Amino acid sequence: DTGVSQDPRHKITKRGQNVTFRCDPISEHNRLYWYRQTLGQGPEFLTYFQNEAQLEKSRLLSDRFSAERPKGSFSTLEIQRTEQGDSAMYLCASSILEWGVRAQYFGPGTRLTVL
Amino acid sequence: GIQVEQSPPDLILQEGANSTLRCNFSDSVNNLQWFHQNPWGQLINLFYIPSGTKQNGRLSATTVATERYSLLYISSSQTTDSGVYFCAGGSQGNLIFGKGTKLSVKP
């Protein structure tokens, strides 16, 4: 059973460029989550999907951010017109409800640096 | 929204020592997890523990849901236990994380 995978692991971009990250959840996991983590802080929730439906979005998810999960499997997170404040680790997690337990499992993250 | 407070923020131990990390929640949660973040940023699941007590090797955790707190116990600490420990909880789909406890175990 492979874990959550994310691609790329690192991304360096110039301010104003668009970037897209991909997350592949654990097979059969119907929920997929995106979080953002800045230095010295805990992860902050951005959004989550149940299958292909986006069920919740944080107010941190500005209009420049968009996430999709078109077939209920992998997900993409796009940031348009990047700003230096977008520099962070972007974490993806997935979960499935089993025996009353819905634990989230995290991927290795994509570290974004905006110059 | 729910607030999560972790203490202590930093902890330095000598190898072999025991420690207790605490997590307080401002409101009830029905999902509570403890994670260890390694130096490469990977969050590793330690416990899913919305209530009760669990043990896994040298680690154990206790959550008292009625008093809205959870404790993580590390016994006979090793240098490989170093890193940041996060608790996170929620009552809906997402997890709210604390700021973490940075643990350094010295040889």
Side-chain angles (χ1 to χ4, degrees), chain A residues 33 35 37 45 104 106 108, chain B residues 33 37 42 45 86 93-95:
Chain A
Y33 312 78
Y35 293 81
Q37 186 178 22
F45 169 76
Q104 294 187 24
F106 282 78
Chain B
Q33 292 185 245
Q37 189 164 45
Q42 174 79 57
N45 284 43
F86 289 102
N94 57 307
L95 286 175

Side-chain angles (χ1 to χ4, degrees), chain A residues 60-61 73:
Chain A
L60 293 175
L61 212 64
S73 57

Side-chain angles (χ1 to χ4, degrees), chain B residues 34-82:
Chain B
W34 282 95
F35 299 91
H36 177 212
Q37 189 164 45
N38 67 20
W40 298 272
Q42 174 79 57
L43 281 166
I44 300 164
N45 284 43
L46 298 177
F47 294 101
Y48 175 92
I49 188 164
S51 64
T53 297
K54 291 185 177 179
Q55 181 159 6
N56 184 4
R58 294 182 298 103
L59 301 181
S60 63
T62 295
T63 297
V64 182
T66 53
E67 298 188 19
R68 303 198 296 268
Y69 73 88
S70 184
L71 302 173
L72 177 70
Y73 305 97
I74 305 174
S75 64
S76 304
S77 57
Q78 300 175 358
T79 56
T80 52
D81 294 332
S82 296

Side-chain angles (χ1 to χ4, degrees), chain A residues 3-108:
Chain A
V4 178
S5 61
Q6 293 187 243
D7 184 69
R9 296 291 306 278
H10 303 273
K11 178 72 177 178
I12 299 174
T13 190
K14 293 182 178 180
R15 190 178 51 182
Q17 298 294 305
N18 299 341
V19 295
T20 299
F21 310 140
R22 176 179 170 126
C23 171
D24 286 87
I26 295 171
S27 180
E28 309 296 332
H29 279 201
N30 61 345
R31 284 196 181 174
L32 186 151
Y33 312 78
W34 286 99
Y35 293 81
R36 180 174 69 186
Q37 186 178 22
T38 54
L39 202 61
Q41 302 295 316
E44 295 174 296
F45 169 76
L46 293 179
T47 188
Y48 87 93
F49 295 83
Q50 179 155 306
N51 301 313
E52 63 274 9
Q54 190 172 17
L55 295 190
E56 189 175 348
K57 291 167 58 173
S58 163
R59 63 179 184 276
L60 293 175
L61 212 64
S62 76
D63 291 345
R64 297 184 297 106
F65 288 69
S66 62
E68 294 183 341
R69 195 183 184 199
K71 297 184 180 179
S73 57
F74 72 90
S75 175
T76 58
L77 177 69
E78 181 183 16
I79 308 174
Q80 297 183 326
R81 305 181 303 281
T82 51
E83 302 172 355
Q84 288 185 325
D86 297 330
S87 294
M89 175 79 92
Y90 289 84
L91 296 164
C92 176
S94 70
S95 74
I96 188 170
L97 185 62
E98 282 184 317
W99 301 102
V101 173
R102 187 180 279 286
Q104 294 187 24
Y105 295 87
F106 282 78

Side-chain angles (χ1 to χ4, degrees), chain B residues 1-37:
Chain B
I2 295 172
Q3 306 294 318
V4 181
E5 184 179 317
Q6 289 189 244
S7 61
D10 296 279
L11 187 57
I12 300 174
L13 297 176
Q14 206 64 35
E15 199 169 25
N18 302 330
S19 62
T20 301
L21 282 58
R22 185 178 177 106
C23 181
N24 291 331
F25 290 85
S26 61
D27 204 346
S28 298
V29 296
N30 56 23
N31 179 2
L32 195 158
Q33 292 185 245
W34 282 95
F35 299 91
H36 177 212
Q37 189 164 45

